Amino acid sequence: MWWGGRGQSFNIAPQKEEPEMGLSGPKSVQGTGMPEPRSRQLGSCLASGGLPGEQILAWAPGVRKGLEPEMPGTLICSNLRVTFQPHGWQRSQETPLSSEYDFSLANIGRLEAVHGPSRVQLLRPGSLLKFIPEEILIHGQDFRLLRVGFEAGGLEPQAFQVTMAIVQARAQNSPAQQYAGITLSQAGQSSDSRKPPIPLLETIEDWETERKKQAARGWRVSTVNERFDVATSLPRYFWVPNRTLDSEVRRAFGHFHQGRGPRLSWHHPGGSDLLRCGGFYTASDPNKEDIRAVESMLQAGHSDVVLVDTMDELPSLADVQLAHLRLRALCLPDSSVAEDKWFSALEGTRWLDYTRSCLRKASDISVLVTSRVRSVVLQERGDRDFNGLLSSLVQLLSAPEARTLLGFQSLVQREWVAAGHPFLTRLGGSGASEEAPVFLLFLDCVWQLLQQFPAEFEFSEFFLLALHDSVRVPDTLTFLRDTPWERGKQSGQFNNYTQVYTPGFPGAGNSINPQLSVWDWNLRYSNKQILQFRNPGYDPEHCPDSWLPRQQPSFMVPGPPSSVWLFSRGSLTPLNQLCPWRDSPSLLAVSSRWLPRPAISSESLADQEWGLPSHWGACPLPPGLLLPGCLGPQIRLWRRCYLRGRPEVQMGLSAPTISGLQEELSHLQELLRKWTPRISPEDHSKRRNPNTILSQSR
């Protein structure tokens, strides 16, 4: 997925008659050189498609296998990527990047060379190839597989050279340094007329527009972090209560881990507020005014406050990383696990368990936000991983607008990119030991929701796959930096973090970032592919226009007077105080009728909050709320993503069998059943034809 603009230098390093050490084959093999006509053809084809400074290191004719029919073409290795170019295919000016044929070096997780039926060599960065390969297999960290067989007939040295070029390029590659950037001018677009597909939340205007969209009247946009001197991991702007001064915000944030104090994530139309913050910095010594400011920001104008221990019952970062490594190893084509033990091995990875835990906790928090008018505060020590995951899932479960294509992209931009999720570190690009694909776990959770509620989401599984694959492609800065400060500094949005915003000054606060974002899908995907991003089963009746009126939150009731709760292990526990620094007697008088009953699931919590039966049955959910099932068979493996490296999956469906066809038919019938809208108690007899839903969505 690489492209550079017209006029950019793109050097082609020709393969020599006697290749340099490391790219040449055994001494007994003499290089034949590159045929001049083919070299010119290759250079002219890619000259307009390279990044500045990109060089072709080696290439070799080959056939892409694992497809039906097999695809002849050329395997090319540059200092930035490996790409397979089919014969007759050229990069279109409309789609200058390839979502199908390019593997960035950062995405290569495993490289194997094959000679004959039994000779296989695993090639790590810096390895030496011991034979001339007949075939190589490139396993992407995104679970994709590129399998290329090389032609015989005197071209064996080129196969050796291109394989060794990949090995050496991987050894010299650094994801943190390889970003070259794709600017608007390089993309042939005018920065004067173009607007991002969604607000990137880099200006105060973007934040104010989003605040008005949520109708968060009790909140304002704070500029206290405009110089990034409060926290470099926070965005320049965020939402704080109207009555809180910026001077109070600055002091209050100093008493939280990494300076990440309480901020608004989402305002529920019924009146509740969902906040997120880091852990209390208990070693600090705040005065009474600071404590009062912290409490005021956590309460956000509500008498009922719930502190959520985010990491309670959720996996650690190390757990997530280990589960993902086990899952990837299990899904490799040469997995040593016997077929009859494959599903037990899948359970042993714990990946599905962690997905289930995240969905269950998000369901509980959605009940807390929806059932009463209150402030719900997500508290995680670093506030950069599972706070974003839970906040995003809660909004998907509670807000239909977040389930639209644009709404979901805006959600990811706000809760992950702008909020400072350390993408580069978590995806292993910084060399640190804190690798853990939390964002990919989130995408799996979203896929589970899409399977259980297919008529509720405007975007499709193909869109989730595109987003999943994009995190490994460093063509934009969206997923290639850890903080908004690093991202803005790299893109040239500002020269240094001490830049001061001056109202009325030309360009201040509304500078246009010339760098493209991951949301510019038309640079990597064709119009035909982008059309597949939309879910044909999406029910237009679930669009935001038909949702709950913002001015009449009839289903929500006020919380108990002056109450503070801790939500942990599925139950609510009353707290004496909000902050850990006070030693005063209880600040709260909690009536016995508000004391919680133990709860271990979203159903029992709903029983506690609404007084509804543990099963939903004929009792309708509050408008717009989804509660997913989290029992064993309800959480499935994302086969289209994780099993892409298996040849039988790449070729399409497995060979048809009676059991296979029955399973497929059962799955289709289940989807049609789920596409049928929920039936309200008042209209129990009316049932809609699923075909009608499908026809309306076209």
Side-chain angles (χ1 to χ4, degrees):
M1 301 187 191
W2 296 94
W3 177 77
R6 304 170 191 171
Q8 299 293 339
S9 60
F10 187 76
N11 302 319
I12 298 178
Q15 294 171 321
K16 302 178 181 180
E17 288 284 336
E18 297 180 357
E20 298 178 359
M21 181 64 65
L23 294 181
S24 61
K27 292 184 178 180
S28 59
V29 179
Q30 299 298 322
T32 60
M34 180 185 294
E36 186 62 22
R38 179 63 178 161
S39 176
R40 284 198 300 267
Q41 180 184 359
L42 185 67
S44 62
C45 184
L46 292 182
S48 62
L51 287 171
E54 185 174 12
Q55 291 185 336
I56 293 181
L57 304 177
W59 66 271
V63 176
R64 183 171 183 178
K65 298 185 176 182
L67 301 174
E68 189 64 38
E70 294 182 341
M71 184 184 299
T74 304
L75 183 68
I76 306 167
C77 175
S78 78
N79 58 328
L80 296 175
R81 59 174 168 169
V82 175
T83 184
F84 181 83
Q85 181 167 298
H87 287 169
W89 179 82
Q90 292 185 349
R91 297 177 188 271
S92 168
Q93 290 295 328
E94 297 179 356
T95 312
L97 304 175
S98 170
S99 62
E100 191 171 358
Y101 301 120
D102 288 350
F103 274 65
S104 68
L105 295 177
N107 185 35
I108 299 177
R110 177 168 170 162
L111 176 64
E112 295 175 314
V114 180
H115 183 87
S118 59
R119 196 172 185 185
V120 180
Q121 182 181 353
L122 176 62
L123 296 171
R124 296 182 174 86
S127 298
L128 292 177
L129 184 57
K130 300 177 181 179
F131 52 80
I132 295 178
E134 295 178 354
E135 181 179 319
I136 65 170
L137 286 81
I138 302 175
H139 299 274
Q141 297 194 61
D142 58 5
F143 294 86
R144 286 192 299 155
L145 171 66
L146 180 60
R147 182 183 171 201
V148 179
F150 297 110
E151 300 177 359
L155 296 178
E156 291 86 351
Q158 289 180 241
F160 189 96
Q161 291 165 15
V162 73
T163 304
M164 283 304 303
I166 298 173
V167 172
Q168 291 195 354
R170 290 183 66 199
Q172 299 170 4
N173 173 69
S174 170
Q177 298 174 356
Q178 69 172 242
Y179 171 74
I182 304 175
T183 63
L184 299 180
S185 59
Q186 291 173 341
Q189 304 179 44
S190 171
S191 60
D192 296 331
S193 58
R194 177 197 174 276
K195 291 184 178 180
I198 63 167
L200 299 181
L201 299 177
E202 295 173 345
T203 67
I204 192 172
E205 291 83 5
D206 287 347
W207 285 91
E208 182 62 22
T209 300
E210 184 66 22
R211 186 196 65 81
K212 292 179 179 178
K213 187 185 301 182
Q214 294 189 18
R217 296 180 180 85
W219 299 81
R220 66 176 181 86
V221 181
S222 172
T223 60
V224 70
N225 196 45
E226 200 156 33
R227 302 181 181 184
F228 290 101
D229 52 351
V230 172
T232 57
S233 64
L234 285 176
R236 300 175 71 189
Y237 313 103
F238 44 78
W239 298 313
V240 298
N242 276 335
R243 296 182 178 180
T244 306
L245 302 176
D246 276 355
S247 58
E248 296 175 317
V249 172
R250 182 182 296 275
R251 294 198 309 271
F253 275 40
H255 302 297
F256 288 84
H257 185 66
Q258 295 184 1
R260 297 180 66 90
R263 316 165 314 281
L264 176 68
S265 280
W266 177 58
H267 175 74
H268 189 282
S272 289
D273 290 309
L274 181 65
L275 286 71
R276 59 185 290 183
C277 66
F280 292 116
Y281 184 46
T282 55
S284 65
D285 186 21
N287 56 36
K288 293 182 179 180
E289 289 74 16
D290 291 351
I291 293 177
R292 189 178 298 110
V294 170
E295 290 181 337
S296 175
M297 297 182 70
L298 292 172
Q299 290 174 336
H302 298 279
S303 60
D304 189 18
V305 184
V306 179
L307 293 179
V308 178
D309 182 0
T310 295
M311 293 308 298
D312 176 57
E313 297 184 299
L314 292 187
S316 66
L317 294 177
D319 292 335
V320 174
Q321 172 66 2
L322 180 59
H324 193 260
L325 290 176
R326 289 174 173 173
L327 177 67
R328 199 162 63 204
L330 181 64
C331 294
L332 287 174
D334 60 351
S335 174
S336 59
V337 178
E339 185 175 352
D340 59 341
K341 297 181 179 179
W342 198 89
F343 285 102
S344 60
L346 174 63
E347 288 296 325
T349 66
R350 302 296 306 278
W351 183 259
L352 297 183
D353 287 339
Y354 298 154
T355 303
R356 182 180 296 108
S357 299
C358 293
L359 286 172
R360 182 182 291 117
K361 184 142 192 173
S363 299
D364 286 346
I365 299 171
S366 299
V367 171
L368 292 172
V369 172
T370 309
S371 58
R372 287 181 171 83
V373 179
R374 56 171 40 129
S375 170
V376 179
V377 185
L378 304 179
Q379 190 166 37
E380 178 190 18
R381 184 174 186 272
D383 182 37
R384 301 177 66 185
D385 293 294
F386 286 96
N387 266 5
L389 183 147
L390 290 178
S391 176
S392 301
L393 289 179
V394 168
Q395 294 177 59
L396 284 171
L397 293 174
S398 308
E401 62 258 33
R403 303 172 207 145
T404 64
L405 189 56
L406 289 178
F408 181 75
Q409 294 176 93
S410 298
L411 174 68
V412 173
Q413 184 70 27
R414 184 177 70 252
E415 298 297 332
W416 293 86
V417 182
H421 176 68
F423 284 104
L424 188 65
T425 297
R426 295 293 180 259
L427 296 173
S430 65
S433 60
E434 299 176 343
E435 183 177 354
V438 180
F439 183 69
L440 302 186
L441 179 63
F442 163 69
L443 293 183
D444 197 317
C445 292
V446 178
W447 181 83
Q448 303 290 342
L449 296 177
L450 188 60
Q451 301 310 296
Q452 295 193 31
F453 307 100
E456 302 278 354
F457 291 84
E458 186 184 20
F459 53 87
S460 69
E461 178 183 17
F462 295 100
F463 172 76
L464 290 179
L465 278 172
L467 188 55
H468 177 280
D469 296 347
S470 296
V471 302
R472 302 288 185 183
V473 183
D475 53 10
T476 69
L477 282 170
T478 306
F479 300 131
L480 200 60
R481 291 294 180 267
D482 282 344
T483 65
W485 174 70
E486 294 175 1
R487 200 173 291 112
K489 187 175 182 181
Q490 177 72 42
S491 68
Q493 182 184 358
F494 46 84
N495 294 328
N496 54 60
Y497 69 89
T498 60
Q499 177 185 10
V500 180
Y501 169 74
T502 305
F505 185 81
N510 58 356
S511 60
I512 298 177
N513 182 1
Q515 305 294 330
L516 298 173
S517 72
V518 69
W519 314 118
D520 293 284
W521 297 111
N522 58 352
L523 293 178
R524 293 189 299 277
Y525 293 85
S526 65
N527 291 333
K528 183 178 179 181
Q529 290 173 314
I530 292 176
L531 286 176
Q532 292 183 302
F533 287 0
R534 295 189 178 274
N535 174 19
Y538 177 62
D539 190 346
E541 292 185 359
H542 299 160
C543 66
D545 292 340
S546 63
W547 196 35
L548 176 76
R550 292 185 179 275
Q551 302 300 326
Q552 299 177 358
S554 57
F555 69 95
M556 302 186 74
V557 296
S562 301
S563 58
V564 178
W565 308 87
L566 173 66
F567 181 73
S568 178
R569 299 191 177 278
S571 64
L572 288 167
T573 304
L575 295 177
N576 289 334
Q577 56 194 39
L578 264 174
C579 301
W581 305 290
R582 276 189 167 172
D583 297 324
S584 59
S586 174
L587 303 176
L588 310 171
V590 181
S591 172
S592 59
R593 70 187 183 93
W594 293 104
L595 292 179
R597 297 188 300 273
I600 58 174
S601 68
S602 60
E603 287 81 8
S604 55
L605 180 62
D607 180 23
Q608 172 185 326
E609 291 291 286
W610 283 307
L612 297 178
S614 59
H615 66 281
W616 288 105
C619 294
L621 295 180
L625 179 64
L626 307 177
L627 289 184
C630 298
L631 298 178
Q634 294 173 303
I635 304 299
R636 303 175 178 177
L637 177 69
W638 190 0
R639 298 171 62 90
R640 198 182 295 272
C641 179
Y642 303 139
L643 297 180
R644 284 183 289 175
R646 291 181 173 261
E648 65 272 15
V649 177
Q650 277 206 333
M651 293 171 61
L653 296 175
S654 303
T657 62
I658 296 297
S659 60
L661 291 175
Q662 288 176 339
E663 181 181 354
E664 186 69 17
L665 177 61
S666 175
H667 179 62
L668 292 174
Q669 289 174 337
E670 183 180 358
L671 285 178
L672 287 175
R673 178 181 59 80
K674 289 179 177 178
W675 277 338
T676 304
R678 292 192 298 267
I679 302 172
S680 62
E682 297 81 9
D683 194 16
H684 220 294
S685 60
K686 294 183 180 180
R687 294 180 179 271
R688 294 188 56 198
N689 187 341
N691 295 324
T692 306
I693 301 173
L694 292 174
S695 62
Q696 288 182 352
S697 63
R698 294 190 180 103

